[in-house]
Amino acid sequence: MRRLRILGCLVAAFSMVGAVTALAVDPAGSPGRAQAAAEDTTLTADPMPTWQTDGIVWSVAHANGVVYAGGVFSNVRPPGAAPGEQQVARKNFAAFDATTGELLPCAPAFTGGTGSVRAMKPSPDGEVLYVGGSFGTVTTGGEETAVSNAVAFDTADCTLRDDFRPGVAATVRAVDATADAVYLGGDFPTVDGQPRQRIAALGPAGALLPFRATVDKAVRAVTAAPEHGKIIIGGDFNTVNGASVHALVSLDPASGNTNQTFPGWIEPRSVVKALNRDDTNFYLGAEGDGHKVFDGRIAASLTTGARKWTDICYGATQAVVPYRGALYSGSHAHNCEDTPGGFPDNNIRQHLLANSIADSSIQIWFPQTNGGLGEQLGPRAMVMAGDILWTGGEFTTVHSKPQQSLTRFPAAPDTGAPQVPVLSGESTTAGKVRLSWKASWDRDDPVLTYRIIRDGEFYKSVDAQSRYWDRPTMGMTDTVPSNSTHRYSLEVTDGDNLSGRNGPVSVTAR
Ligand SMILES: [Ca+2]
């Protein structure tokens, strides 16, 4: 990707256009391009080879260079393998090298309950992986252990810890871990036989802590910020600790008392599906029930709890993860017309998006999956593993190619070339050849360079900004001797990758 240096090139190109329009190039496109280009600092939208599962991935976690995937599946298979081919048994849990993507031998099987791994999070030091879901048995090395919806593993050797073994009375849907506590959220009424209504805290070694809050409906997301005095939980609920609180609340990390509410943030028919944080903000993803009910994302200060922005793109959000100035999300966004840089309601479900953390604007990062299995909502889970974004979910394709339930996108290198547009040419004025084409687009670059080849040699290039829903018609006028014939071709580059060549078209000047 050509990042910040694009700005200078673009300004130069348009200055030239303004001065000599008649001789060179149309300023095809809209204002604000240079600004948008300067802000573009995303990951690439080019998927790396990734193993696949034969069912839905509900959770991904990263610790010490290992990515864990949990969900509802029976087998995994290598990148490129068709369903049923080259399968390796993995029951609802699998581990991969975060960088090479290779399958690792760590393979506890989760069965019983509904046989679903729903949430995973490592301890802050990465030594322990906490796993929650709906399961009653974990099988490791042929040995079955009776458990109750939440367990922990030592990441060094993938052994099931025998100390963290809470009796959680129903599905665990969210986990976060601090140095002092492991917070579980879900559907349950009790933990270890004690009242712990849909949220509970345990010590790192499994002792039930006094932290207690009563929540009336499912907790679907938890993000712990004990240094800010906050355990932020999200879900379907309408009552917390006896008071009317919808979908989002902050609790005291030790007592579970409510210490902040966020009235008006989440409308009544919307619920919180995802929470995440960085050093300064917390982020949420919402799912609304109905037409134009809040489906988007919110960024807010961890220190004050003050909201920084709300992005109301429609198409429910299932996962959010911040990384280097952008908030990456999994959704089925289909209408982002009210978000800066967003797209109109265009019948496309954009399953992967990036918002600027600074101002919420939609970044030029448009990798794509399909909806896939289950509710057909595409991505369900995201985690950064170093500089690689791992995504799991319901999808069965990535960029229209078969790839089931797992994929990943690195910070570099950019390997995706834009498609070359069709070039047409004509001459209606003596000594002038008019060339035109419709702008191409790129999944992770806002500005592309169009190169005209004349009579087999490079002639001239022009930069233009485009997005897949906004592709301007471009043109160039060449001045040549009357009655001379010339052959023109077009190619386009994102700065790293050159398209194929379209043409040549042969034009005889009038
Ligand atoms: Ca690119």
Side-chain angles (χ1 to χ4, degrees), residues 423-426 431-435 451-457 459 476-480 484-490 501-509:
L423 177 67
S424 59
E426 62 176 355
K432 303 288 186 189
V433 171
R434 177 73 188 161
L435 302 169
R451 294 164 49 87
I452 293 291
I453 314 300
R454 181 178 66 187
D455 299 328
E457 294 185 1
Y459 166 55
M476 183 182 288
T477 299
D478 190 15
T479 301
V480 296
S484 64
T485 298
H486 301 277
R487 287 151 47 90
Y488 298 91
S489 298
L490 176 65
R501 205 174 264 194
N502 184 264
V505 292
S506 185
V507 184
T508 301

PDB file of all heavy atoms in Angstrom, residues 423-426 431-435 451-457 459 476-480 484-490 501-509:
ATOM      1  N   LEU A 423     -10.906   0.159 -21.707  1.00  0.00           N
ATOM      2  CA  LEU A 423     -10.516   1.441 -22.305  1.00  0.00           C
ATOM      3  C   LEU A 423     -11.231   1.627 -23.632  1.00  0.00           C
ATOM      4  O   LEU A 423     -11.309   0.700 -24.439  1.00  0.00           O
ATOM      5  CB  LEU A 423      -9.000   1.455 -22.536  1.00  0.00           C
ATOM      6  CG  LEU A 423      -8.424   2.692 -23.223  1.00  0.00           C
ATOM      7  CD1 LEU A 423      -8.557   3.929 -22.341  1.00  0.00           C
ATOM      8  CD2 LEU A 423      -6.950   2.450 -23.597  1.00  0.00           C
ATOM      9  N   SER A 424     -11.779   2.822 -23.838  1.00  0.00           N
ATOM     10  CA  SER A 424     -12.329   3.115 -25.165  1.00  0.00           C
ATOM     11  C   SER A 424     -11.726   4.420 -25.684  1.00  0.00           C
ATOM     12  O   SER A 424     -11.279   5.260 -24.899  1.00  0.00           O
ATOM     13  CB  SER A 424     -13.858   3.195 -25.121  1.00  0.00           C
ATOM     14  OG  SER A 424     -14.259   4.193 -24.220  1.00  0.00           O
ATOM     15  N   GLY A 425     -11.669   4.560 -27.011  1.00  0.00           N
ATOM     16  CA  GLY A 425     -11.077   5.745 -27.618  1.00  0.00           C
ATOM     17  C   GLY A 425     -11.827   6.144 -28.863  1.00  0.00           C
ATOM     18  O   GLY A 425     -12.401   5.297 -29.562  1.00  0.00           O
ATOM     19  N   GLU A 426     -11.829   7.441 -29.118  1.00  0.00           N
ATOM     20  CA  GLU A 426     -12.461   7.931 -30.336  1.00  0.00           C
ATOM     21  C   GLU A 426     -11.837   9.273 -30.688  1.00  0.00           C
ATOM     22  O   GLU A 426     -11.155   9.901 -29.870  1.00  0.00           O
ATOM     23  CB  GLU A 426     -13.971   8.094 -30.144  1.00  0.00           C
ATOM     24  CG  GLU A 426     -14.319   9.113 -29.052  1.00  0.00           C
ATOM     25  CD  GLU A 426     -15.810   9.346 -28.915  1.00  0.00           C
ATOM     26  OE1 GLU A 426     -16.573   8.785 -29.725  1.00  0.00           O
ATOM     27  OE2 GLU A 426     -16.199  10.102 -28.027  1.00  0.00           O
ATOM     28  N   GLY A 431      -7.065  16.112 -34.899  1.00  0.00           N
ATOM     29  CA  GLY A 431      -5.828  16.057 -34.133  1.00  0.00           C
ATOM     30  C   GLY A 431      -6.008  15.699 -32.666  1.00  0.00           C
ATOM     31  O   GLY A 431      -5.053  15.794 -31.896  1.00  0.00           O
ATOM     32  N   LYS A 432      -7.202  15.282 -32.291  1.00  0.00           N
ATOM     33  CA  LYS A 432      -7.452  14.932 -30.879  1.00  0.00           C
ATOM     34  C   LYS A 432      -7.981  13.499 -30.783  1.00  0.00           C
ATOM     35  O   LYS A 432      -8.892  13.119 -31.530  1.00  0.00           O
ATOM     36  CB  LYS A 432      -8.506  15.864 -30.257  1.00  0.00           C
ATOM     37  CG  LYS A 432      -8.150  17.342 -30.326  1.00  0.00           C
ATOM     38  CD  LYS A 432      -7.032  17.707 -29.369  1.00  0.00           C
ATOM     39  CE  LYS A 432      -6.811  19.221 -29.372  1.00  0.00           C
ATOM     40  NZ  LYS A 432      -5.589  19.582 -28.610  1.00  0.00           N
ATOM     41  N   VAL A 433      -7.398  12.737 -29.834  1.00  0.00           N
ATOM     42  CA  VAL A 433      -7.917  11.412 -29.501  1.00  0.00           C
ATOM     43  C   VAL A 433      -8.441  11.464 -28.070  1.00  0.00           C
ATOM     44  O   VAL A 433      -7.724  11.888 -27.157  1.00  0.00           O
ATOM     45  CB  VAL A 433      -6.838  10.324 -29.633  1.00  0.00           C
ATOM     46  CG1 VAL A 433      -7.346   8.989 -29.079  1.00  0.00           C
ATOM     47  CG2 VAL A 433      -6.400  10.181 -31.080  1.00  0.00           C
ATOM     48  N   ARG A 434      -9.674  11.035 -27.934  1.00  0.00           N
ATOM     49  CA  ARG A 434     -10.309  11.070 -26.614  1.00  0.00           C
ATOM     50  C   ARG A 434     -10.361   9.644 -26.066  1.00  0.00           C
ATOM     51  O   ARG A 434     -10.954   8.759 -26.662  1.00  0.00           O
ATOM     52  CB  ARG A 434     -11.720  11.638 -26.778  1.00  0.00           C
ATOM     53  CG  ARG A 434     -12.522  11.670 -25.506  1.00  0.00           C
ATOM     54  CD  ARG A 434     -12.032  12.757 -24.587  1.00  0.00           C
ATOM     55  NE  ARG A 434     -12.675  12.677 -23.291  1.00  0.00           N
ATOM     56  CZ  ARG A 434     -12.180  13.256 -22.205  1.00  0.00           C
ATOM     57  NH1 ARG A 434     -11.054  13.950 -22.268  1.00  0.00           N
ATOM     58  NH2 ARG A 434     -12.810  13.158 -21.064  1.00  0.00           N
ATOM     59  N   LEU A 435      -9.716   9.456 -24.918  1.00  0.00           N
ATOM     60  CA  LEU A 435      -9.710   8.147 -24.257  1.00  0.00           C
ATOM     61  C   LEU A 435     -10.586   8.226 -23.011  1.00  0.00           C
ATOM     62  O   LEU A 435     -10.582   9.241 -22.307  1.00  0.00           O
ATOM     63  CB  LEU A 435      -8.292   7.763 -23.838  1.00  0.00           C
ATOM     64  CG  LEU A 435      -7.265   7.710 -24.982  1.00  0.00           C
ATOM     65  CD1 LEU A 435      -5.854   7.584 -24.420  1.00  0.00           C
ATOM     66  CD2 LEU A 435      -7.578   6.556 -25.930  1.00  0.00           C
ATOM     67  N   ARG A 451      -2.402   4.106 -15.989  1.00  0.00           N
ATOM     68  CA  ARG A 451      -1.263   4.300 -16.885  1.00  0.00           C
ATOM     69  C   ARG A 451      -1.713   4.042 -18.322  1.00  0.00           C
ATOM     70  O   ARG A 451      -2.222   2.967 -18.640  1.00  0.00           O
ATOM     71  CB  ARG A 451      -0.129   3.337 -16.524  1.00  0.00           C
ATOM     72  CG  ARG A 451       0.503   3.605 -15.155  1.00  0.00           C
ATOM     73  CD  ARG A 451       1.336   2.421 -14.684  1.00  0.00           C
ATOM     74  NE  ARG A 451       2.263   1.946 -15.702  1.00  0.00           N
ATOM     75  CZ  ARG A 451       3.500   2.435 -15.897  1.00  0.00           C
ATOM     76  NH1 ARG A 451       3.955   3.395 -15.107  1.00  0.00           N
ATOM     77  NH2 ARG A 451       4.264   1.960 -16.849  1.00  0.00           N
ATOM     78  N   ILE A 452      -1.535   5.032 -19.161  1.00  0.00           N
ATOM     79  CA  ILE A 452      -1.861   4.890 -20.579  1.00  0.00           C
ATOM     80  C   ILE A 452      -0.593   4.519 -21.347  1.00  0.00           C
ATOM     81  O   ILE A 452       0.455   5.170 -21.197  1.00  0.00           O
ATOM     82  CB  ILE A 452      -2.445   6.192 -21.150  1.00  0.00           C
ATOM     83  CG1 ILE A 452      -3.812   6.484 -20.521  1.00  0.00           C
ATOM     84  CG2 ILE A 452      -2.558   6.125 -22.680  1.00  0.00           C
ATOM     85  CD1 ILE A 452      -4.910   5.518 -20.927  1.00  0.00           C
ATOM     86  N   ILE A 453      -0.696   3.452 -22.117  1.00  0.00           N
ATOM     87  CA  ILE A 453       0.393   3.006 -22.976  1.00  0.00           C
ATOM     88  C   ILE A 453       0.019   3.377 -24.420  1.00  0.00           C
ATOM     89  O   ILE A 453      -1.056   3.000 -24.885  1.00  0.00           O
ATOM     90  CB  ILE A 453       0.584   1.473 -22.898  1.00  0.00           C
ATOM     91  CG1 ILE A 453       0.561   0.988 -21.437  1.00  0.00           C
ATOM     92  CG2 ILE A 453       1.852   1.054 -23.639  1.00  0.00           C
ATOM     93  CD1 ILE A 453       1.638   1.572 -20.559  1.00  0.00           C
ATOM     94  N   ARG A 454       0.881   4.138 -25.082  1.00  0.00           N
ATOM     95  CA  ARG A 454       0.579   4.584 -26.457  1.00  0.00           C
ATOM     96  C   ARG A 454       1.625   3.991 -27.398  1.00  0.00           C
ATOM     97  O   ARG A 454       2.822   4.175 -27.192  1.00  0.00           O
ATOM     98  CB  ARG A 454       0.592   6.106 -26.537  1.00  0.00           C
ATOM     99  CG  ARG A 454       0.251   6.635 -27.941  1.00  0.00           C
ATOM    100  CD  ARG A 454       0.222   8.139 -27.981  1.00  0.00           C
ATOM    101  NE  ARG A 454       1.552   8.709 -27.734  1.00  0.00           N
ATOM    102  CZ  ARG A 454       1.781  10.014 -27.586  1.00  0.00           C
ATOM    103  NH1 ARG A 454       0.788  10.877 -27.670  1.00  0.00           N
ATOM    104  NH2 ARG A 454       2.998  10.461 -27.372  1.00  0.00           N
ATOM    105  N   ASP A 455       1.140   3.291 -28.394  1.00  0.00           N
ATOM    106  CA  ASP A 455       2.035   2.689 -29.396  1.00  0.00           C
ATOM    107  C   ASP A 455       3.154   1.890 -28.723  1.00  0.00           C
ATOM    108  O   ASP A 455       4.328   1.945 -29.103  1.00  0.00           O
ATOM    109  CB  ASP A 455       2.614   3.766 -30.313  1.00  0.00           C
ATOM    110  CG  ASP A 455       1.511   4.491 -31.071  1.00  0.00           C
ATOM    111  OD1 ASP A 455       0.482   3.852 -31.383  1.00  0.00           O
ATOM    112  OD2 ASP A 455       1.668   5.704 -31.302  1.00  0.00           O
ATOM    113  N   GLY A 456       2.752   1.161 -27.623  1.00  0.00           N
ATOM    114  CA  GLY A 456       3.682   0.238 -26.972  1.00  0.00           C
ATOM    115  C   GLY A 456       4.589   0.858 -25.936  1.00  0.00           C
ATOM    116  O   GLY A 456       5.381   0.148 -25.301  1.00  0.00           O
ATOM    117  N   GLU A 457       4.489   2.181 -25.742  1.00  0.00           N
ATOM    118  CA  GLU A 457       5.355   2.819 -24.751  1.00  0.00           C
ATOM    119  C   GLU A 457       4.515   3.612 -23.757  1.00  0.00           C
ATOM    120  O   GLU A 457       3.479   4.178 -24.106  1.00  0.00           O
ATOM    121  CB  GLU A 457       6.355   3.758 -25.445  1.00  0.00           C
ATOM    122  CG  GLU A 457       7.340   3.017 -26.316  1.00  0.00           C
ATOM    123  CD  GLU A 457       8.394   3.952 -26.890  1.00  0.00           C
ATOM    124  OE1 GLU A 457       8.335   5.159 -26.577  1.00  0.00           O
ATOM    125  OE2 GLU A 457       9.246   3.465 -27.644  1.00  0.00           O
ATOM    126  N   TYR A 459       2.894   6.385 -21.864  1.00  0.00           N
ATOM    127  CA  TYR A 459       2.618   7.732 -22.332  1.00  0.00           C
ATOM    128  C   TYR A 459       2.358   8.672 -21.158  1.00  0.00           C
ATOM    129  O   TYR A 459       3.055   9.675 -20.979  1.00  0.00           O
ATOM    130  CB  TYR A 459       1.420   7.713 -23.281  1.00  0.00           C
ATOM    131  CG  TYR A 459       0.825   9.069 -23.572  1.00  0.00           C
ATOM    132  CD1 TYR A 459       1.618  10.118 -24.067  1.00  0.00           C
ATOM    133  CD2 TYR A 459      -0.533   9.307 -23.353  1.00  0.00           C
ATOM    134  CE1 TYR A 459       1.070  11.367 -24.319  1.00  0.00           C
ATOM    135  CE2 TYR A 459      -1.076  10.556 -23.614  1.00  0.00           C
ATOM    136  CZ  TYR A 459      -0.276  11.588 -24.084  1.00  0.00           C
ATOM    137  OH  TYR A 459      -0.823  12.815 -24.321  1.00  0.00           O
ATOM    138  N   MET A 476      -8.903  11.138 -20.856  1.00  0.00           N
ATOM    139  CA  MET A 476      -7.638  11.778 -21.197  1.00  0.00           C
ATOM    140  C   MET A 476      -7.704  12.137 -22.685  1.00  0.00           C
ATOM    141  O   MET A 476      -8.241  11.368 -23.485  1.00  0.00           O
ATOM    142  CB  MET A 476      -6.488  10.796 -20.924  1.00  0.00           C
ATOM    143  CG  MET A 476      -5.102  11.345 -21.172  1.00  0.00           C
ATOM    144  SD  MET A 476      -3.837  10.075 -20.880  1.00  0.00           S
ATOM    145  CE  MET A 476      -3.857   9.916 -19.107  1.00  0.00           C
ATOM    146  N   THR A 477      -7.194  13.299 -23.036  1.00  0.00           N
ATOM    147  CA  THR A 477      -7.178  13.702 -24.435  1.00  0.00           C
ATOM    148  C   THR A 477      -5.734  13.758 -24.935  1.00  0.00           C
ATOM    149  O   THR A 477      -4.879  14.394 -24.305  1.00  0.00           O
ATOM    150  CB  THR A 477      -7.843  15.074 -24.614  1.00  0.00           C
ATOM    151  OG1 THR A 477      -9.197  14.977 -24.178  1.00  0.00           O
ATOM    152  CG2 THR A 477      -7.813  15.512 -26.072  1.00  0.00           C
ATOM    153  N   ASP A 478      -5.472  13.076 -26.031  1.00  0.00           N
ATOM    154  CA  ASP A 478      -4.138  13.078 -26.625  1.00  0.00           C
ATOM    155  C   ASP A 478      -4.167  13.929 -27.897  1.00  0.00           C
ATOM    156  O   ASP A 478      -5.128  13.873 -28.672  1.00  0.00           O
ATOM    157  CB  ASP A 478      -3.743  11.627 -26.968  1.00  0.00           C
ATOM    158  CG  ASP A 478      -2.272  11.515 -27.354  1.00  0.00           C
ATOM    159  OD1 ASP A 478      -1.507  12.457 -27.089  1.00  0.00           O
ATOM    160  OD2 ASP A 478      -1.901  10.461 -27.898  1.00  0.00           O
ATOM    161  N   THR A 479      -3.130  14.707 -28.061  1.00  0.00           N
ATOM    162  CA  THR A 479      -3.017  15.539 -29.257  1.00  0.00           C
ATOM    163  C   THR A 479      -2.014  14.898 -30.214  1.00  0.00           C
ATOM    164  O   THR A 479      -0.859  14.681 -29.844  1.00  0.00           O
ATOM    165  CB  THR A 479      -2.553  16.953 -28.885  1.00  0.00           C
ATOM    166  OG1 THR A 479      -3.505  17.515 -27.971  1.00  0.00           O
ATOM    167  CG2 THR A 479      -2.461  17.838 -30.123  1.00  0.00           C
ATOM    168  N   VAL A 480      -2.499  14.548 -31.408  1.00  0.00           N
ATOM    169  CA  VAL A 480      -1.667  13.824 -32.378  1.00  0.00           C
ATOM    170  C   VAL A 480      -1.903  14.417 -33.769  1.00  0.00           C
ATOM    171  O   VAL A 480      -2.867  15.158 -33.983  1.00  0.00           O
ATOM    172  CB  VAL A 480      -2.032  12.318 -32.384  1.00  0.00           C
ATOM    173  CG1 VAL A 480      -1.712  11.677 -31.040  1.00  0.00           C
ATOM    174  CG2 VAL A 480      -3.505  12.127 -32.739  1.00  0.00           C
ATOM    175  N   SER A 484      -3.363  10.381 -38.275  1.00  0.00           N
ATOM    176  CA  SER A 484      -2.430   9.368 -37.754  1.00  0.00           C
ATOM    177  C   SER A 484      -3.204   8.361 -36.910  1.00  0.00           C
ATOM    178  O   SER A 484      -4.229   8.686 -36.311  1.00  0.00           O
ATOM    179  CB  SER A 484      -1.323  10.032 -36.924  1.00  0.00           C
ATOM    180  OG  SER A 484      -1.858  10.660 -35.770  1.00  0.00           O
ATOM    181  N   THR A 485      -2.709   7.134 -36.848  1.00  0.00           N
ATOM    182  CA  THR A 485      -3.372   6.051 -36.114  1.00  0.00           C
ATOM    183  C   THR A 485      -2.494   5.624 -34.949  1.00  0.00           C
ATOM    184  O   THR A 485      -1.277   5.454 -35.116  1.00  0.00           O
ATOM    185  CB  THR A 485      -3.640   4.852 -37.040  1.00  0.00           C
ATOM    186  OG1 THR A 485      -4.522   5.274 -38.079  1.00  0.00           O
ATOM    187  CG2 THR A 485      -4.277   3.690 -36.275  1.00  0.00           C
ATOM    188  N   HIS A 486      -3.117   5.475 -33.798  1.00  0.00           N
ATOM    189  CA  HIS A 486      -2.360   5.115 -32.597  1.00  0.00           C
ATOM    190  C   HIS A 486      -3.093   4.024 -31.835  1.00  0.00           C
ATOM    191  O   HIS A 486      -4.309   3.920 -31.875  1.00  0.00           O
ATOM    192  CB  HIS A 486      -2.153   6.341 -31.704  1.00  0.00           C
ATOM    193  CG  HIS A 486      -1.426   7.434 -32.429  1.00  0.00           C
ATOM    194  ND1 HIS A 486      -0.056   7.480 -32.545  1.00  0.00           N
ATOM    195  CD2 HIS A 486      -1.905   8.497 -33.146  1.00  0.00           C
ATOM    196  CE1 HIS A 486       0.291   8.533 -33.292  1.00  0.00           C
ATOM    197  NE2 HIS A 486      -0.815   9.159 -33.649  1.00  0.00           N
ATOM    198  N   ARG A 487      -2.257   3.231 -31.148  1.00  0.00           N
ATOM    199  CA  ARG A 487      -2.791   2.109 -30.352  1.00  0.00           C
ATOM    200  C   ARG A 487      -2.603   2.451 -28.876  1.00  0.00           C
ATOM    201  O   ARG A 487      -1.504   2.755 -28.437  1.00  0.00           O
ATOM    202  CB  ARG A 487      -2.047   0.824 -30.709  1.00  0.00           C
ATOM    203  CG  ARG A 487      -2.420   0.277 -32.089  1.00  0.00           C
ATOM    204  CD  ARG A 487      -1.257  -0.500 -32.706  1.00  0.00           C
ATOM    205  NE  ARG A 487      -0.643  -1.447 -31.777  1.00  0.00           N
ATOM    206  CZ  ARG A 487      -1.034  -2.720 -31.631  1.00  0.00           C
ATOM    207  NH1 ARG A 487      -2.040  -3.187 -32.376  1.00  0.00           N
ATOM    208  NH2 ARG A 487      -0.417  -3.513 -30.798  1.00  0.00           N
ATOM    209  N   TYR A 488      -3.708   2.395 -28.114  1.00  0.00           N
ATOM    210  CA  TYR A 488      -3.687   2.766 -26.691  1.00  0.00           C
ATOM    211  C   TYR A 488      -4.085   1.566 -25.832  1.00  0.00           C
ATOM    212  O   TYR A 488      -5.007   0.828 -26.170  1.00  0.00           O
ATOM    213  CB  TYR A 488      -4.671   3.903 -26.409  1.00  0.00           C
ATOM    214  CG  TYR A 488      -4.357   5.181 -27.154  1.00  0.00           C
ATOM    215  CD1 TYR A 488      -4.923   5.418 -28.403  1.00  0.00           C
ATOM    216  CD2 TYR A 488      -3.519   6.143 -26.597  1.00  0.00           C
ATOM    217  CE1 TYR A 488      -4.642   6.583 -29.088  1.00  0.00           C
ATOM    218  CE2 TYR A 488      -3.238   7.321 -27.278  1.00  0.00           C
ATOM    219  CZ  TYR A 488      -3.806   7.541 -28.529  1.00  0.00           C
ATOM    220  OH  TYR A 488      -3.536   8.695 -29.213  1.00  0.00           O
ATOM    221  N   SER A 489      -3.354   1.424 -24.712  1.00  0.00           N
ATOM    222  CA  SER A 489      -3.728   0.422 -23.705  1.00  0.00           C
ATOM    223  C   SER A 489      -3.781   1.100 -22.341  1.00  0.00           C
ATOM    224  O   SER A 489      -3.212   2.175 -22.137  1.00  0.00           O
ATOM    225  CB  SER A 489      -2.708  -0.720 -23.664  1.00  0.00           C
ATOM    226  OG  SER A 489      -2.662  -1.398 -24.901  1.00  0.00           O
ATOM    227  N   LEU A 490      -4.444   0.417 -21.412  1.00  0.00           N
ATOM    228  CA  LEU A 490      -4.599   0.955 -20.057  1.00  0.00           C
ATOM    229  C   LEU A 490      -4.188  -0.104 -19.041  1.00  0.00           C
ATOM    230  O   LEU A 490      -4.528  -1.283 -19.197  1.00  0.00           O
ATOM    231  CB  LEU A 490      -6.065   1.338 -19.821  1.00  0.00           C
ATOM    232  CG  LEU A 490      -6.436   1.841 -18.420  1.00  0.00           C
ATOM    233  CD1 LEU A 490      -5.759   3.160 -18.102  1.00  0.00           C
ATOM    234  CD2 LEU A 490      -7.956   1.965 -18.291  1.00  0.00           C
ATOM    235  N   ARG A 501      -3.324  -5.646 -18.565  1.00  0.00           N
ATOM    236  CA  ARG A 501      -3.450  -4.512 -19.476  1.00  0.00           C
ATOM    237  C   ARG A 501      -4.718  -4.672 -20.323  1.00  0.00           C
ATOM    238  O   ARG A 501      -5.018  -5.767 -20.778  1.00  0.00           O
ATOM    239  CB  ARG A 501      -2.224  -4.497 -20.398  1.00  0.00           C
ATOM    240  CG  ARG A 501      -1.872  -3.154 -20.962  1.00  0.00           C
ATOM    241  CD  ARG A 501      -0.569  -3.222 -21.737  1.00  0.00           C
ATOM    242  NE  ARG A 501       0.580  -2.811 -20.944  1.00  0.00           N
ATOM    243  CZ  ARG A 501       1.774  -2.536 -21.474  1.00  0.00           C
ATOM    244  NH1 ARG A 501       1.971  -2.653 -22.801  1.00  0.00           N
ATOM    245  NH2 ARG A 501       2.769  -2.153 -20.708  1.00  0.00           N
ATOM    246  N   ASN A 502      -5.476  -3.596 -20.451  1.00  0.00           N
ATOM    247  CA  ASN A 502      -6.641  -3.629 -21.337  1.00  0.00           C
ATOM    248  C   ASN A 502      -6.307  -2.897 -22.623  1.00  0.00           C
ATOM    249  O   ASN A 502      -5.733  -1.818 -22.613  1.00  0.00           O
ATOM    250  CB  ASN A 502      -7.864  -2.967 -20.675  1.00  0.00           C
ATOM    251  CG  ASN A 502      -9.105  -3.084 -21.542  1.00  0.00           C
ATOM    252  OD1 ASN A 502      -9.435  -2.164 -22.287  1.00  0.00           O
ATOM    253  ND2 ASN A 502      -9.748  -4.222 -21.493  1.00  0.00           N
ATOM    254  N   GLY A 503      -6.683  -3.495 -23.734  1.00  0.00           N
ATOM    255  CA  GLY A 503      -6.392  -2.912 -25.033  1.00  0.00           C
ATOM    256  C   GLY A 503      -5.499  -3.848 -25.830  1.00  0.00           C
ATOM    257  O   GLY A 503      -5.345  -5.015 -25.468  1.00  0.00           O
ATOM    258  N   PRO A 504      -4.881  -3.352 -26.887  1.00  0.00           N
ATOM    259  CA  PRO A 504      -4.981  -1.949 -27.299  1.00  0.00           C
ATOM    260  C   PRO A 504      -6.258  -1.643 -28.089  1.00  0.00           C
ATOM    261  O   PRO A 504      -6.854  -2.532 -28.678  1.00  0.00           O
ATOM    262  CB  PRO A 504      -3.763  -1.774 -28.207  1.00  0.00           C
ATOM    263  CG  PRO A 504      -3.545  -3.149 -28.797  1.00  0.00           C
ATOM    264  CD  PRO A 504      -3.963  -4.127 -27.740  1.00  0.00           C
ATOM    265  N   VAL A 505      -6.638  -0.370 -27.991  1.00  0.00           N
ATOM    266  CA  VAL A 505      -7.655   0.136 -28.919  1.00  0.00           C
ATOM    267  C   VAL A 505      -6.927   0.997 -29.941  1.00  0.00           C
ATOM    268  O   VAL A 505      -5.999   1.736 -29.610  1.00  0.00           O
ATOM    269  CB  VAL A 505      -8.738   0.962 -28.192  1.00  0.00           C
ATOM    270  CG1 VAL A 505      -9.569   0.084 -27.307  1.00  0.00           C
ATOM    271  CG2 VAL A 505      -8.132   2.110 -27.419  1.00  0.00           C
ATOM    272  N   SER A 506      -7.327   0.849 -31.181  1.00  0.00           N
ATOM    273  CA  SER A 506      -6.677   1.589 -32.263  1.00  0.00           C
ATOM    274  C   SER A 506      -7.576   2.751 -32.672  1.00  0.00           C
ATOM    275  O   SER A 506      -8.770   2.556 -32.919  1.00  0.00           O
ATOM    276  CB  SER A 506      -6.440   0.639 -33.448  1.00  0.00           C
ATOM    277  OG  SER A 506      -5.723   1.315 -34.450  1.00  0.00           O
ATOM    278  N   VAL A 507      -7.031   3.948 -32.675  1.00  0.00           N
ATOM    279  CA  VAL A 507      -7.817   5.147 -33.012  1.00  0.00           C
ATOM    280  C   VAL A 507      -7.079   5.946 -34.081  1.00  0.00           C
ATOM    281  O   VAL A 507      -5.883   6.212 -33.945  1.00  0.00           O
ATOM    282  CB  VAL A 507      -8.032   6.032 -31.775  1.00  0.00           C
ATOM    283  CG1 VAL A 507      -8.945   7.224 -32.128  1.00  0.00           C
ATOM    284  CG2 VAL A 507      -8.630   5.238 -30.603  1.00  0.00           C
ATOM    285  N   THR A 508      -7.797   6.303 -35.137  1.00  0.00           N
ATOM    286  CA  THR A 508      -7.254   7.192 -36.166  1.00  0.00           C
ATOM    287  C   THR A 508      -7.817   8.593 -35.944  1.00  0.00           C
ATOM    288  O   THR A 508      -9.035   8.784 -35.900  1.00  0.00           O
ATOM    289  CB  THR A 508      -7.611   6.708 -37.573  1.00  0.00           C
ATOM    290  OG1 THR A 508      -7.084   5.397 -37.743  1.00  0.00           O
ATOM    291  CG2 THR A 508      -7.048   7.640 -38.645  1.00  0.00           C
ATOM    292  N   ALA A 509      -6.935   9.536 -35.756  1.00  0.00           N
ATOM    293  CA  ALA A 509      -7.354  10.909 -35.471  1.00  0.00           C
ATOM    294  C   ALA A 509      -7.976  11.544 -36.698  1.00  0.00           C
ATOM    295  O   ALA A 509      -7.528  11.316 -37.820  1.00  0.00           O
ATOM    296  CB  ALA A 509      -6.153  11.746 -35.007  1.00  0.00           C
TER     297      ALA A 509
END
